[in-house]
Amino acid sequence: MEHPLYVAFIWHMHQPDYRDPVTGLLRLPWVRLHAAKDYLHMAEVLSQYPDVHATVNFAPILVEQLMAYTSGRAEDYIMYLSRQTAWTEEERAYIRNLGFSAHRENMIRPHPPYWDLLQRHEAAPDDLDVFTDQEYRDILAWFQLAWTDPNRLQGDEALRRLVEKGRGFTIEDLAQIIDRHREMCAQVIPLYRKLADRGQIELTTSPYAHPILPLLIDTTHAQRATPGLPVPEPPFRAPEDALAHLQMAQEKHERVFGHHPAGLWPSEGAVSQEAVEQIAAAGFRWLASDEAILGRCLGRWFERDLQEAVTTPDLLYQPYIVMIDNQPGPAIIFRDHALSDRIGFTYQHIPGEQAAEDLIVRLQIIRRRLPDSRPHLVPIILDGENCWEGYEHNGDIFLHSLYRRLSESQDLRAVTVSEYLEMNPPHNALARVTTGSWINGDLTTWMGDPEHIRAWSLLRDTRAFLVDYEASHPDLPADARERAWQSIYAAEGSDWFWWYSQRNTSDQDALFDELFRNHLANVYRALDQPTPESLMEPIVARGKRLDQIRVQHRYLTPKLQADPDPTREWREALHVQAMASSGAMQQAGHGLRAMRVAYDADHVYIRLETIEPLQALRLEVRIRGKEGHEHRIVWTPGSEAALLGEQRLHTALGDRILEMAIPLSAVGVRLGDRLQVQGCAMHDDRETNRVPTHHPLELTLTPLEETPDQQAP
């Protein structure tokens, strides 16, 4: 019997808790802006294709903020600034820093007045007086208009009039944009409920504040995937908090969406056997993670052929049962990492119709290679809001083309996860789930760097203080107890630790650091106790880390092929982003997007990722060795290779990717030395941006054993 190939899209919607625990003001506007541009749009497109079913995962902390906007209780800092007639120097710096955090080509260039403001901003990035008060208001207006679904900008008469106006926006104009955004926030939850009620989507959840469950249970568990990884001493251990986040997620989901969620996307796909046991105890029937986790469970990596198709598809494209105490536990599925990343990162660089056709062809190849003896499921799981600014027309063309092709296909069927499991229960079991996440199959994004250690230690000590205080004050008022624990749960969210990672940095590092420490300080405020000095000291300073020395855990020799989707070796490399806008996947809209750096015994490898096509930029990599001499590696448009002086380096070029291999001897360093690296983009002989922004990346070329990856089974 021939079966269609079942495809399960899981769109994960998540933003961190931007609410200041003291003032209630949302320090960043990304919940509102993604609602105006993405959350509502995704549902509106899907609703036009009733035969295409999907799973949509809403993190509870995002839902809370959405509902606060809907009720009028939430105000973000951009809304606050939009009501003012003039701004302080600090406020103008904030507007300049955030007001151009939009895709340069797709969201700024199409609007000439906004583009003109960007050019002036880039020409004088440190001169706050380059703009008049009226022009600062125009930046605020355009920033919020650009982060609105382009279909709304065209179809809403009031918004279309403002786009046509272009300049000289008034406070009333800004209020009108914000009112429209609130209206769109109010439509998000009802539309998703409607799609769920008619059976087209399955709504699922994540742990309440989006924590990394294995680390909440025991931070030493990070060493399972990465032996020797630094962790706090004593460890952070709070398995009861992991269960609390799961139970709160269930309760929040049931109140908002009207039903008990069957499925869970663990934050960042992070799992462990202990976490799965907690998930089962909370009543979830299925969960999902990444193919790297399944590979480690089975003792093998999933290899791909020249077409990037998995060579053992029968193992990956099926659900499994997780055994708990020799009894069947919840079902678990594992995402196809390559297909998911194609939507998240690769397809935005090609026309939408072509991208949709490519995905359909790849799914058909998978179907032809699978046996017909039983059905199979291909899980495609990714952030549902973060990639669309890079697509033409906000992803409209790609999504419509993809959903139309799926609707017409006889060989492919898009289903919800629960639909598939009801028709095809798992046949195979996993005796134990290994520990890791969807990023490199480990937990090093949230543990191991000096900033991680300090942040987890502060969280551990604050939580211990709360537990001890509760025990010694049995008459503690319920509202004080609730406020204190709410702050602990908020501080346990994954996003703070994501930004503390030395692989991830942005111009908002200091803001995220302040929010994290404010949540912990609020525990002491709730108990009317003095705040420790340790919570007053930044974990990161603006533009500079506590410890700029970066460490690599094994030799990495990435193959230079300039693929938009980084290979495994590049994903494990040190990763620095130029600037962040709305979260882990978001970037600024000009020059360099990010830089990745790796090394082996003979070379240092550098990958520059750009927003514009390479041919629009001149790129430099500036390297200093132990003697302090600066070496400049230069690539100019039209060149086939980057040059170090007159030496041509091994180079790979893509549309927006430049990769190079630099012999250690060519820059006067050897294993054991320290190296400083900084990327720079130039446009029309003018510097566009640097990565890192303020200080070079400094790493130690630690001699390492030439052994396979410790994570590899």
Side-chain angles (χ1 to χ4, degrees):
M1 174 183 177
E2 287 195 3
H3 300 278
L5 178 64
Y6 293 93
V7 183
F9 290 97
I10 301 181
W11 302 110
H12 172 51
M13 310 300 194
H14 162 65
Q15 290 293 309
D17 190 351
Y18 296 117
R19 295 169 292 190
D20 186 292
V22 178
T23 66
L25 189 73
L26 278 76
R27 299 292 298 278
L28 288 168
W30 299 117
V31 170
R32 171 170 63 92
L33 299 187
H34 276 300
K37 191 178 81 68
D38 301 304
Y39 299 138
L40 190 58
H41 172 250
M42 288 285 287
E44 289 174 338
V45 174
L46 184 61
S47 68
Q48 299 175 48
Y49 302 90
D51 291 334
V52 176
H53 293 191
T55 301
V56 181
N57 190 85
F58 275 100
I61 206 74
L62 165 63
V63 172
E64 280 191 358
Q65 294 173 91
L66 265 177
M67 296 181 70
Y69 275 114
T70 298
S71 67
R73 291 181 289 109
E75 179 176 69
D76 58 60
Y77 198 40
I78 288 292
M79 295 166 68
Y80 166 76
L81 295 175
S82 296
R83 295 199 307 271
Q84 297 180 199
T85 56
W87 299 270
T88 66
E89 184 173 302
E90 182 180 1
E91 290 168 343
R92 286 186 291 163
Y94 180 93
I95 295 170
R96 291 282 295 273
N97 178 275
L98 200 63
F100 298 100
S101 294
H103 194 280
R104 182 186 185 96
E105 298 301 318
N106 294 344
M107 298 171 69
I108 300 181
R109 189 188 284 272
H111 307 293
Y114 197 15
W115 180 257
D116 290 344
L117 291 167
L118 174 64
Q119 301 306 300
R120 293 172 57 198
H121 164 72
E122 292 178 344
D126 299 319
D127 183 2
L128 294 177
D129 295 325
V130 73
F131 294 121
T132 65
D133 284 343
Q134 177 59 63
E135 288 167 332
Y136 274 106
R137 186 173 298 109
D138 289 353
I139 294 171
L140 285 167
W142 273 116
F143 174 56
Q144 295 175 88
L145 285 170
W147 276 92
T148 306
D149 179 1
N151 295 316
R152 296 289 177 126
L153 294 183
Q154 296 165 6
D156 184 293
E157 182 178 350
L159 293 177
R160 186 174 66 249
R161 178 184 59 79
L162 291 176
V163 170
E164 293 169 352
K165 182 175 183 177
R167 293 181 174 87
F169 294 103
T170 66
I171 291 177
E172 291 73 24
D173 291 334
L174 288 166
Q176 191 167 41
I177 298 169
I178 291 168
D179 286 344
R180 287 293 193 274
H181 282 189
R182 282 199 188 275
E183 292 170 6
M184 295 170 77
C185 287
Q187 296 171 39
V188 172
I189 298 300
L191 181 53
Y192 280 96
R193 283 195 62 161
K194 178 181 177 180
L195 294 179
D197 290 343
R198 79 183 193 189
Q200 187 177 358
I201 66 171
E202 177 179 4
L203 290 169
T204 58
T205 191
S206 290
Y208 170 70
H210 208 261
I212 303 299
L213 292 178
L215 294 179
L216 281 196
I217 292 169
D218 190 330
T219 49
T220 66
H221 290 179
Q223 296 172 328
R224 293 171 173 172
T226 314
L229 185 74
V231 298
E233 183 57 45
F236 179 95
R237 291 191 177 107
E240 60 271 37
D241 287 10
L243 184 59
H245 280 276
L246 292 165
Q247 292 171 335
M248 287 189 292
Q250 290 272 22
E251 294 164 3
K252 171 67 68 175
H253 190 95
E254 195 157 4
R255 284 199 305 271
V256 173
F257 294 109
H259 71 274
H260 190 82
L264 179 87
W265 171 247
S267 316
E268 309 290 356
V271 293
S272 65
Q273 182 65 22
E274 294 85 355
V276 173
E277 291 171 6
Q278 297 273 35
I279 291 167
F284 290 98
R285 297 197 296 274
W286 66 264
L287 67 147
S289 189
D290 187 76
E291 67 178 55
I293 302 301
L294 177 60
R296 291 177 55 225
C297 290
L298 300 178
R300 62 185 301 159
W301 287 107
F302 285 100
E303 297 180 354
R304 284 178 158 76
D305 60 20
L306 294 177
Q307 294 178 300
E308 297 185 8
V310 173
T311 56
T312 52
D314 189 47
L315 291 177
L316 178 58
Y317 303 130
Q318 63 168 299
Y320 292 81
I321 284 289
V322 181
M323 301 301 292
I324 299 175
D325 295 330
N326 296 319
Q327 297 296 318
I332 185 169
I333 61 172
F334 300 93
R335 74 173 190 145
D336 183 305
H337 192 111
L339 291 183
S340 302
D341 279 1
R342 281 192 162 271
I343 297 177
F345 301 102
T346 305
Y347 286 151
Q348 61 186 271
H349 301 300
I350 62 177
E353 290 274 357
Q354 180 183 340
E357 178 64 21
D358 182 86
L359 182 56
I360 294 295
V361 168
R362 291 177 185 277
L363 290 170
Q364 289 171 336
I365 290 172
I366 291 171
R367 182 179 181 275
R368 288 196 295 270
R369 294 185 178 184
L370 285 166
D372 288 330
S373 56
R374 60 183 175 84
H376 291 84
L377 178 72
V378 178
I380 298 177
I381 309 173
L382 68 153
D383 288 351
E385 74 267 77
N386 281 332
C387 63
W388 306 117
E389 66 179 273
Y391 280 72
E392 55 184 330
H393 209 271
N394 199 36
D396 249 6
I397 297 172
F398 169 75
L399 289 170
H400 279 289
S401 181
L402 174 63
Y403 291 158
R404 184 181 68 252
R405 284 171 163 83
L406 288 170
S407 296
E408 296 169 351
S409 175
Q410 300 299 311
D411 302 327
L412 306 173
R413 182 178 170 190
V415 294
T416 70
V417 177
S418 287
E419 279 179 328
Y420 182 85
L421 293 175
E422 186 175 343
M423 294 184 295
N424 306 286
H427 293 284
N428 295 308
L430 299 175
R432 186 173 182 83
V433 170
T434 57
T435 302
S437 75
W438 70 348
I439 301 180
N440 302 328
D442 61 27
L443 300 175
T444 57
T445 298
W446 308 274
M447 178 59 69
D449 292 334
E451 296 84 359
H452 288 142
I453 305 304
R454 183 173 168 200
W456 279 104
S457 298
L458 290 173
L459 175 59
R460 176 200 62 211
D461 295 345
T462 303
R463 187 185 184 282
F465 177 84
L466 173 57
V467 171
D468 291 344
Y469 191 90
E470 275 190 308
S472 60
H473 294 77
D475 57 346
L476 180 66
D479 62 333
R481 177 183 289 107
E482 182 179 351
R483 289 200 311 275
W485 277 107
Q486 181 66 27
S487 292
I488 289 291
Y489 295 142
E492 289 174 340
S494 67
D495 298 275
W496 322 116
F497 302 97
W498 198 97
W499 287 114
Y500 284 134
S501 171
Q502 293 185 346
R503 296 177 184 173
N504 306 309
T505 187
S506 80
D507 283 354
Q508 279 89 50
D509 281 357
L511 188 151
F512 277 95
D513 177 28
E514 181 185 346
L515 273 173
F516 172 75
R517 290 181 292 108
N518 273 349
H519 282 301
L520 295 181
N522 202 50
V523 174
Y524 294 89
R525 296 188 198 102
L527 304 178
D528 198 23
Q529 296 296 302
T531 302
E533 287 294 325
S534 59
L535 293 179
M536 305 298 185
E537 300 170 2
I539 296 174
V540 294
R542 177 174 173 80
K544 187 171 177 63
R545 299 281 179 171
L546 275 178
D547 182 355
Q548 282 282 338
I549 309 300
R550 311 302 173 95
V551 178
Q552 188 173 290
H553 298 293
R554 71 177 183 102
Y555 285 141
L556 297 172
T557 307
K559 183 178 180 181
L560 303 190
Q561 54 194 29
D563 193 324
D565 181 17
T567 61
R568 178 177 163 225
E569 286 76 16
W570 281 123
R571 290 198 299 270
E572 291 186 37
L574 302 174
H575 180 207
V576 183
Q577 298 185 76
M579 180 180 176
S581 54
S582 62
M585 293 179 65
Q586 293 300 100
Q587 315 292 333
H590 52 85
L592 287 173
R593 179 192 298 272
M595 178 176 71
R596 299 175 191 262
V597 181
Y599 73 92
D600 58 21
D602 302 304
H603 292 81
V604 60
Y605 302 90
I606 295 177
R607 171 183 165 105
L608 299 178
E609 303 171 3
T610 66
I611 300 298
E612 300 101 326
L614 283 183
Q615 299 301 326
L617 298 167
R618 179 178 185 269
L619 300 178
E620 291 185 3
V621 175
R622 300 164 185 175
I623 295 181
R624 289 183 185 271
K626 61 179 180 179
E627 302 300 330
H629 176 68
E630 182 177 270
H631 301 267
R632 292 203 175 195
I633 299 164
V634 178
W635 179 85
T636 55
S639 301
E640 295 181 357
L643 298 178
L644 174 57
E646 296 183 358
Q647 180 180 354
R648 289 169 59 91
L649 300 177
H650 181 29
T651 306
L653 302 173
D655 181 44
R656 290 172 171 82
I657 304 295
L658 174 67
E659 295 175 347
M660 64 188 78
I662 306 159
L664 298 182
S665 59
V667 290
V669 296
R670 57 187 178 182
L671 293 178
D673 291 343
R674 291 181 179 179
L675 195 69
Q676 292 184 343
V677 183
Q678 190 168 40
C680 178
M682 312 286 288
H683 183 72
D684 293 335
D685 295 325
R686 177 170 47 82
E687 184 174 301
T688 301
N689 70 332
R690 298 182 185 184
V691 179
T693 304
H694 300 283
H695 302 275
L697 173 73
E698 188 169 338
L699 65 149
T700 299
L701 302 175
T702 306
L704 301 168
E705 295 291 331
E706 300 223 33
T707 57
D709 182 2
Q710 290 175 317
Q711 299 172 44

